[in-house]
Structures are given as structure tokens and as C-alpha cells.
PDB file of all heavy atoms in Angstrom:
ATOM      1  N   LEU A   1     160.406  35.305  66.687  1.00 92.00           N
ATOM      2  CA  LEU A   1     160.544  34.529  67.954  1.00 92.00           C
ATOM      3  C   LEU A   1     159.790  35.049  69.182  1.00 92.00           C
ATOM      4  O   LEU A   1     159.238  34.121  70.002  1.00 92.00           O
ATOM      5  CB  LEU A   1     162.108  34.492  68.305  1.00 92.00           C
ATOM      6  CG  LEU A   1     162.903  33.586  67.401  1.00 92.00           C
ATOM      7  CD1 LEU A   1     164.458  33.964  67.533  1.00 92.00           C
ATOM      8  CD2 LEU A   1     162.617  32.098  67.435  1.00 92.00           C
ATOM      9  N   SER A   2     159.735  36.261  69.315  1.00 94.00           N
ATOM     10  CA  SER A   2     158.947  36.879  70.406  1.00 94.00           C
ATOM     11  C   SER A   2     157.478  36.602  70.183  1.00 94.00           C
ATOM     12  O   SER A   2     156.777  36.222  71.206  1.00 94.00           O
ATOM     13  CB  SER A   2     159.169  38.357  70.453  1.00 94.00           C
ATOM     14  OG  SER A   2     160.400  38.651  70.878  1.00 94.00           O
ATOM     15  N   LEU A   3     156.928  36.635  69.030  1.00 93.00           N
ATOM     16  CA  LEU A   3     155.520  36.318  68.694  1.00 93.00           C
ATOM     17  C   LEU A   3     155.394  34.864  69.033  1.00 93.00           C
ATOM     18  O   LEU A   3     154.266  34.508  69.693  1.00 93.00           O
ATOM     19  CB  LEU A   3     155.258  36.570  67.300  1.00 93.00           C
ATOM     20  CG  LEU A   3     153.849  36.293  66.799  1.00 93.00           C
ATOM     21  CD1 LEU A   3     152.878  37.014  67.695  1.00 93.00           C
ATOM     22  CD2 LEU A   3     153.635  36.687  65.327  1.00 93.00           C
ATOM     23  N   GLY A   4     156.197  33.976  68.613  1.00 93.00           N
ATOM     24  CA  GLY A   4     156.056  32.576  68.891  1.00 93.00           C
ATOM     25  C   GLY A   4     156.052  32.321  70.299  1.00 93.00           C
ATOM     26  O   GLY A   4     155.183  31.502  70.824  1.00 93.00           O
ATOM     27  N   ASP A   5     156.880  33.059  71.127  1.00 95.00           N
ATOM     28  CA  ASP A   5     156.855  32.802  72.502  1.00 95.00           C
ATOM     29  C   ASP A   5     155.502  33.183  73.107  1.00 95.00           C
ATOM     30  O   ASP A   5     155.051  32.563  74.099  1.00 95.00           O
ATOM     31  CB  ASP A   5     157.962  33.594  73.214  1.00 95.00           C
ATOM     32  CG  ASP A   5     158.328  33.436  74.525  1.00 95.00           C
ATOM     33  OD1 ASP A   5     158.189  32.255  75.128  1.00 95.00           O
ATOM     34  OD2 ASP A   5     158.280  34.415  75.389  1.00 95.00           O
ATOM     35  N   ALA A   6     155.143  34.362  72.639  1.00 97.00           N
ATOM     36  CA  ALA A   6     153.710  34.838  73.177  1.00 97.00           C
ATOM     37  C   ALA A   6     152.585  33.902  72.823  1.00 97.00           C
ATOM     38  O   ALA A   6     151.680  33.735  73.645  1.00 97.00           O
ATOM     39  CB  ALA A   6     153.428  36.286  72.592  1.00 97.00           C
ATOM     40  N   LEU A   7     152.720  33.196  71.698  1.00 97.00           N
ATOM     41  CA  LEU A   7     151.696  32.142  71.296  1.00 97.00           C
ATOM     42  C   LEU A   7     151.970  30.768  72.010  1.00 97.00           C
ATOM     43  O   LEU A   7     151.177  29.970  71.744  1.00 97.00           O
ATOM     44  CB  LEU A   7     151.668  32.060  69.885  1.00 97.00           C
ATOM     45  CG  LEU A   7     151.273  33.300  69.080  1.00 97.00           C
ATOM     46  CD1 LEU A   7     151.466  33.154  67.614  1.00 97.00           C
ATOM     47  CD2 LEU A   7     149.711  33.584  69.429  1.00 97.00           C
ATOM     48  N   GLY A   8     152.976  30.676  72.749  1.00 97.00           N
ATOM     49  CA  GLY A   8     153.305  29.320  73.426  1.00 97.00           C
ATOM     50  C   GLY A   8     154.078  28.448  72.637  1.00 97.00           C
ATOM     51  O   GLY A   8     154.152  27.225  72.959  1.00 97.00           O
ATOM     52  N   VAL A   9     154.695  28.852  71.573  1.00 96.00           N
ATOM     53  CA  VAL A   9     155.562  27.961  70.754  1.00 96.00           C
ATOM     54  C   VAL A   9     156.859  27.802  71.398  1.00 96.00           C
ATOM     55  O   VAL A   9     157.637  28.736  71.838  1.00 96.00           O
ATOM     56  CB  VAL A   9     155.757  28.605  69.301  1.00 96.00           C
ATOM     57  CG1 VAL A   9     156.674  27.674  68.507  1.00 96.00           C
ATOM     58  CG2 VAL A   9     154.359  28.632  68.644  1.00 96.00           C
ATOM     59  N   PRO A  10     157.365  26.605  71.686  1.00 96.00           N
ATOM     60  CA  PRO A  10     158.742  26.358  72.307  1.00 96.00           C
ATOM     61  C   PRO A  10     159.696  27.110  71.419  1.00 96.00           C
ATOM     62  O   PRO A  10     159.833  26.998  70.281  1.00 96.00           O
ATOM     63  CB  PRO A  10     158.842  24.850  72.277  1.00 96.00           C
ATOM     64  CG  PRO A  10     157.504  24.286  72.287  1.00 96.00           C
ATOM     65  CD  PRO A  10     156.734  25.328  71.295  1.00 96.00           C
ATOM     66  N   PRO A  11     160.687  27.823  72.196  1.00 92.00           N
ATOM     67  CA  PRO A  11     161.746  28.487  71.359  1.00 92.00           C
ATOM     68  C   PRO A  11     162.572  27.604  70.533  1.00 92.00           C
ATOM     69  O   PRO A  11     162.959  27.972  69.413  1.00 92.00           O
ATOM     70  CB  PRO A  11     162.611  29.169  72.552  1.00 92.00           C
ATOM     71  CG  PRO A  11     161.744  29.283  73.624  1.00 92.00           C
ATOM     72  CD  PRO A  11     160.767  28.095  73.484  1.00 92.00           C
ATOM     73  N   SER A  12     162.802  26.420  70.945  1.00 94.00           N
ATOM     74  CA  SER A  12     163.657  25.503  70.232  1.00 94.00           C
ATOM     75  C   SER A  12     162.798  25.039  68.815  1.00 94.00           C
ATOM     76  O   SER A  12     163.514  25.052  67.858  1.00 94.00           O
ATOM     77  CB  SER A  12     163.917  24.178  70.901  1.00 94.00           C
ATOM     78  OG  SER A  12     162.779  23.485  71.373  1.00 94.00           O
ATOM     79  N   ALA A  13     161.575  24.925  68.963  1.00 95.00           N
ATOM     80  CA  ALA A  13     160.761  24.660  67.724  1.00 95.00           C
ATOM     81  C   ALA A  13     160.815  25.928  66.768  1.00 95.00           C
ATOM     82  O   ALA A  13     160.881  25.728  65.522  1.00 95.00           O
ATOM     83  CB  ALA A  13     159.334  24.211  68.075  1.00 95.00           C
ATOM     84  N   ALA A  14     160.528  27.012  67.395  1.00 93.00           N
ATOM     85  CA  ALA A  14     160.550  28.217  66.562  1.00 93.00           C
ATOM     86  C   ALA A  14     161.920  28.415  65.859  1.00 93.00           C
ATOM     87  O   ALA A  14     161.951  28.837  64.618  1.00 93.00           O
ATOM     88  CB  ALA A  14     160.132  29.469  67.378  1.00 93.00           C
ATOM     89  N   ALA A  15     163.022  28.318  66.644  1.00 91.00           N
ATOM     90  CA  ALA A  15     164.236  28.563  66.023  1.00 91.00           C
ATOM     91  C   ALA A  15     164.651  27.551  64.862  1.00 91.00           C
ATOM     92  O   ALA A  15     165.263  27.845  63.994  1.00 91.00           O
ATOM     93  CB  ALA A  15     165.365  28.405  67.112  1.00 91.00           C
ATOM     94  N   GLU A  16     163.984  26.416  65.012  1.00 94.00           N
ATOM     95  CA  GLU A  16     164.135  25.232  63.940  1.00 94.00           C
ATOM     96  C   GLU A  16     163.333  25.618  62.690  1.00 94.00           C
ATOM     97  O   GLU A  16     163.878  25.436  61.517  1.00 94.00           O
ATOM     98  CB  GLU A  16     163.788  23.993  64.574  1.00 94.00           C
ATOM     99  CG  GLU A  16     163.980  22.804  63.594  1.00 94.00           C
ATOM    100  CD  GLU A  16     165.269  22.054  63.706  1.00 94.00           C
ATOM    101  OE1 GLU A  16     166.071  22.350  64.762  1.00 94.00           O
ATOM    102  OE2 GLU A  16     165.663  21.405  62.820  1.00 94.00           O
ATOM    103  N   LEU A  17     162.136  26.020  62.959  1.00 93.00           N
ATOM    104  CA  LEU A  17     161.163  26.151  61.875  1.00 93.00           C
ATOM    105  C   LEU A  17     161.198  27.517  61.112  1.00 93.00           C
ATOM    106  O   LEU A  17     160.924  27.711  59.949  1.00 93.00           O
ATOM    107  CB  LEU A  17     159.780  25.864  62.336  1.00 93.00           C
ATOM    108  CG  LEU A  17     159.531  24.447  62.835  1.00 93.00           C
ATOM    109  CD1 LEU A  17     158.178  24.419  63.397  1.00 93.00           C
ATOM    110  CD2 LEU A  17     159.750  23.518  61.662  1.00 93.00           C
ATOM    111  N   LEU A  18     161.363  28.632  61.809  1.00 90.00           N
ATOM    112  CA  LEU A  18     161.299  29.946  61.278  1.00 90.00           C
ATOM    113  C   LEU A  18     162.160  30.198  60.033  1.00 90.00           C
ATOM    114  O   LEU A  18     161.726  30.804  59.154  1.00 90.00           O
ATOM    115  CB  LEU A  18     161.611  31.046  62.327  1.00 90.00           C
ATOM    116  CG  LEU A  18     160.278  31.361  63.216  1.00 90.00           C
ATOM    117  CD1 LEU A  18     160.609  32.206  64.379  1.00 90.00           C
ATOM    118  CD2 LEU A  18     159.065  31.936  62.454  1.00 90.00           C
ATOM    119  N   PRO A  19     163.445  29.818  60.106  1.00 89.00           N
ATOM    120  CA  PRO A  19     164.298  30.062  58.955  1.00 89.00           C
ATOM    121  C   PRO A  19     163.824  29.472  57.723  1.00 89.00           C
ATOM    122  O   PRO A  19     163.902  29.955  56.625  1.00 89.00           O
ATOM    123  CB  PRO A  19     165.612  29.513  59.330  1.00 89.00           C
ATOM    124  CG  PRO A  19     165.673  29.572  60.814  1.00 89.00           C
ATOM    125  CD  PRO A  19     164.244  29.362  61.142  1.00 89.00           C
ATOM    126  N   VAL A  20     163.234  28.316  57.784  1.00 92.00           N
ATOM    127  CA  VAL A  20     162.671  27.487  56.682  1.00 92.00           C
ATOM    128  C   VAL A  20     161.411  28.176  56.126  1.00 92.00           C
ATOM    129  O   VAL A  20     161.242  28.422  54.943  1.00 92.00           O
ATOM    130  CB  VAL A  20     162.300  26.031  56.945  1.00 92.00           C
ATOM    131  CG1 VAL A  20     161.798  25.265  55.872  1.00 92.00           C
ATOM    132  CG2 VAL A  20     163.722  25.346  57.401  1.00 92.00           C
ATOM    133  N   ILE A  21     160.553  28.572  57.001  1.00 90.00           N
ATOM    134  CA  ILE A  21     159.346  29.178  56.741  1.00 90.00           C
ATOM    135  C   ILE A  21     159.671  30.612  55.990  1.00 90.00           C
ATOM    136  O   ILE A  21     159.099  31.019  55.037  1.00 90.00           O
ATOM    137  CB  ILE A  21     158.430  29.435  57.959  1.00 90.00           C
ATOM    138  CG1 ILE A  21     157.867  28.110  58.529  1.00 90.00           C
ATOM    139  CG2 ILE A  21     157.189  30.314  57.609  1.00 90.00           C
ATOM    140  CD1 ILE A  21     157.323  28.049  59.790  1.00 90.00           C
ATOM    141  N   GLU A  22     160.634  31.268  56.695  1.00 88.00           N
ATOM    142  CA  GLU A  22     160.970  32.614  56.155  1.00 88.00           C
ATOM    143  C   GLU A  22     161.441  32.553  54.700  1.00 88.00           C
ATOM    144  O   GLU A  22     161.043  33.310  53.800  1.00 88.00           O
ATOM    145  CB  GLU A  22     162.068  33.191  57.052  1.00 88.00           C
ATOM    146  CG  GLU A  22     162.657  34.536  56.507  1.00 88.00           C
ATOM    147  CD  GLU A  22     163.923  35.047  57.111  1.00 88.00           C
ATOM    148  OE1 GLU A  22     164.706  34.120  57.447  1.00 88.00           O
ATOM    149  OE2 GLU A  22     164.132  36.161  57.102  1.00 88.00           O
ATOM    150  N   ALA A  23     162.497  31.580  54.404  1.00 89.00           N
ATOM    151  CA  ALA A  23     162.871  31.421  53.171  1.00 89.00           C
ATOM    152  C   ALA A  23     161.861  31.187  52.065  1.00 89.00           C
ATOM    153  O   ALA A  23     161.683  31.886  50.909  1.00 89.00           O
ATOM    154  CB  ALA A  23     163.946  30.266  53.116  1.00 89.00           C
ATOM    155  N   VAL A  24     160.775  30.292  52.293  1.00 91.00           N
ATOM    156  CA  VAL A  24     159.660  30.024  51.474  1.00 91.00           C
ATOM    157  C   VAL A  24     158.795  31.189  51.208  1.00 91.00           C
ATOM    158  O   VAL A  24     158.517  31.628  50.108  1.00 91.00           O
ATOM    159  CB  VAL A  24     158.973  28.844  51.863  1.00 91.00           C
ATOM    160  CG1 VAL A  24     157.533  28.660  51.058  1.00 91.00           C
ATOM    161  CG2 VAL A  24     159.771  27.583  51.964  1.00 91.00           C
ATOM    162  N   MET A  25     158.447  31.894  52.410  1.00 87.00           N
ATOM    163  CA  MET A  25     157.635  33.197  52.250  1.00 87.00           C
ATOM    164  C   MET A  25     158.321  34.340  51.489  1.00 87.00           C
ATOM    165  O   MET A  25     157.577  34.988  50.683  1.00 87.00           O
ATOM    166  CB  MET A  25     157.173  33.650  53.685  1.00 87.00           C
ATOM    167  CG  MET A  25     156.262  32.632  54.313  1.00 87.00           C
ATOM    168  SD  MET A  25     154.606  32.390  53.512  1.00 87.00           S
ATOM    169  CE  MET A  25     154.060  34.055  53.392  1.00 87.00           C
ATOM    170  N   VAL A  26     159.515  34.491  51.716  1.00 85.00           N
ATOM    171  CA  VAL A  26     160.344  35.698  51.064  1.00 85.00           C
ATOM    172  C   VAL A  26     160.254  35.182  49.525  1.00 85.00           C
ATOM    173  O   VAL A  26     159.952  36.195  48.656  1.00 85.00           O
ATOM    174  CB  VAL A  26     161.643  35.775  51.544  1.00 85.00           C
ATOM    175  CG1 VAL A  26     162.523  36.528  50.622  1.00 85.00           C
ATOM    176  CG2 VAL A  26     161.624  36.317  52.947  1.00 85.00           C
ATOM    177  N   ALA A  27     160.534  34.077  49.158  1.00 88.00           N
ATOM    178  CA  ALA A  27     160.612  33.689  47.719  1.00 88.00           C
ATOM    179  C   ALA A  27     159.125  33.805  47.159  1.00 88.00           C
ATOM    180  O   ALA A  27     159.027  34.398  45.978  1.00 88.00           O
ATOM    181  CB  ALA A  27     161.023  32.202  47.588  1.00 88.00           C
ATOM    182  N   LYS A  28     158.171  33.289  47.904  1.00 88.00           N
ATOM    183  CA  LYS A  28     156.800  33.597  47.316  1.00 88.00           C
ATOM    184  C   LYS A  28     156.314  34.963  47.194  1.00 88.00           C
ATOM    185  O   LYS A  28     155.633  35.363  46.229  1.00 88.00           O
ATOM    186  CB  LYS A  28     155.781  32.741  48.107  1.00 88.00           C
ATOM    187  CG  LYS A  28     156.066  31.215  48.013  1.00 88.00           C
ATOM    188  CD  LYS A  28     155.924  30.640  46.590  1.00 88.00           C
ATOM    189  CE  LYS A  28     156.097  29.217  46.462  1.00 88.00           C
ATOM    190  NZ  LYS A  28     155.999  28.730  45.100  1.00 88.00           N
ATOM    191  N   LEU A  29     156.444  35.841  48.255  1.00 85.00           N
ATOM    192  CA  LEU A  29     156.225  37.165  48.204  1.00 85.00           C
ATOM    193  C   LEU A  29     156.999  37.912  47.018  1.00 85.00           C
ATOM    194  O   LEU A  29     156.310  38.683  46.242  1.00 85.00           O
ATOM    195  CB  LEU A  29     156.688  37.907  49.502  1.00 85.00           C
ATOM    196  CG  LEU A  29     155.752  37.609  50.574  1.00 85.00           C
ATOM    197  CD1 LEU A  29     156.315  38.119  51.946  1.00 85.00           C
ATOM    198  CD2 LEU A  29     154.313  38.205  50.394  1.00 85.00           C
ATOM    199  N   ASN A  30     158.240  37.688  46.664  1.00 85.00           N
ATOM    200  CA  ASN A  30     158.954  38.288  45.630  1.00 85.00           C
ATOM    201  C   ASN A  30     158.353  37.768  44.291  1.00 85.00           C
ATOM    202  O   ASN A  30     158.352  38.564  43.241  1.00 85.00           O
ATOM    203  CB  ASN A  30     160.419  38.027  45.761  1.00 85.00           C
ATOM    204  CG  ASN A  30     161.045  38.837  46.892  1.00 85.00           C
ATOM    205  OD1 ASN A  30     160.648  39.991  47.035  1.00 85.00           O
ATOM    206  ND2 ASN A  30     162.133  38.273  47.432  1.00 85.00           N
ATOM    207  N   GLU A  31     158.093  36.465  44.245  1.00 87.00           N
ATOM    208  CA  GLU A  31     157.369  36.012  43.033  1.00 87.00           C
ATOM    209  C   GLU A  31     156.144  36.689  42.658  1.00 87.00           C
ATOM    210  O   GLU A  31     155.803  37.090  41.546  1.00 87.00           O
ATOM    211  CB  GLU A  31     157.154  34.502  43.124  1.00 87.00           C
ATOM    212  CG  GLU A  31     158.257  33.612  42.959  1.00 87.00           C
ATOM    213  CD  GLU A  31     158.018  32.177  43.191  1.00 87.00           C
ATOM    214  OE1 GLU A  31     156.703  31.839  43.166  1.00 87.00           O
ATOM    215  OE2 GLU A  31     158.766  31.400  43.364  1.00 87.00           O
ATOM    216  N   GLN A  32     155.323  37.004  43.743  1.00 85.00           N
ATOM    217  CA  GLN A  32     154.023  37.641  43.574  1.00 85.00           C
ATOM    218  C   GLN A  32     154.266  39.043  43.160  1.00 85.00           C
ATOM    219  O   GLN A  32     153.490  39.600  42.392  1.00 85.00           O
ATOM    220  CB  GLN A  32     153.289  37.485  44.896  1.00 85.00           C
ATOM    221  CG  GLN A  32     151.942  38.041  44.814  1.00 85.00           C
ATOM    222  CD  GLN A  32     151.113  37.970  46.152  1.00 85.00           C
ATOM    223  OE1 GLN A  32     151.745  37.620  47.167  1.00 85.00           O
ATOM    224  NE2 GLN A  32     149.811  38.093  46.129  1.00 85.00           N
ATOM    225  N   MET A  33     155.333  39.774  43.686  1.00 82.00           N
ATOM    226  CA  MET A  33     155.433  41.162  43.390  1.00 82.00           C
ATOM    227  C   MET A  33     155.982  41.292  41.988  1.00 82.00           C
ATOM    228  O   MET A  33     155.847  42.405  41.352  1.00 82.00           O
ATOM    229  CB  MET A  33     156.484  41.765  44.366  1.00 82.00           C
ATOM    230  CG  MET A  33     155.775  41.976  45.718  1.00 82.00           C
ATOM    231  SD  MET A  33     156.697  42.886  46.970  1.00 82.00           S
ATOM    232  CE  MET A  33     158.375  42.347  46.826  1.00 82.00           C
TER     233      MET A  33
END
């Protein structure tokens, strides 16, 4: 969220999108490992 803020991403958008992005990235990283 801090990184998003530094990049100018509205906090409401980051809060909405980050959990979804995190879930997909964690699944893909674990599959790759």
C-alpha cells in the first residue's frame, strides 16, 4: 500500500486490487517453486 501511494495509486484502488493480485501471485510463485 505504501508503494502504491508513492506511485500515485489511490489508496481505495490499491486496497481493492492488492488482495486479488496477491492471491494469484502467491499461487503462481508456489506452483513455480
Side-chain angles (χ1 to χ4, degrees):
L1 286 168
S2 294
L3 178 60
D5 185 48
L7 293 171
V9 176
S12 59
E16 182 93 18
L17 297 172
L18 278 173
V20 176
I21 294 167
E22 176 195 28
V24 172
M25 289 301 300
V26 166
K28 294 298 180 183
L29 285 169
N30 286 326
E31 285 175 16
Q32 184 177 14
M33 289 189 319

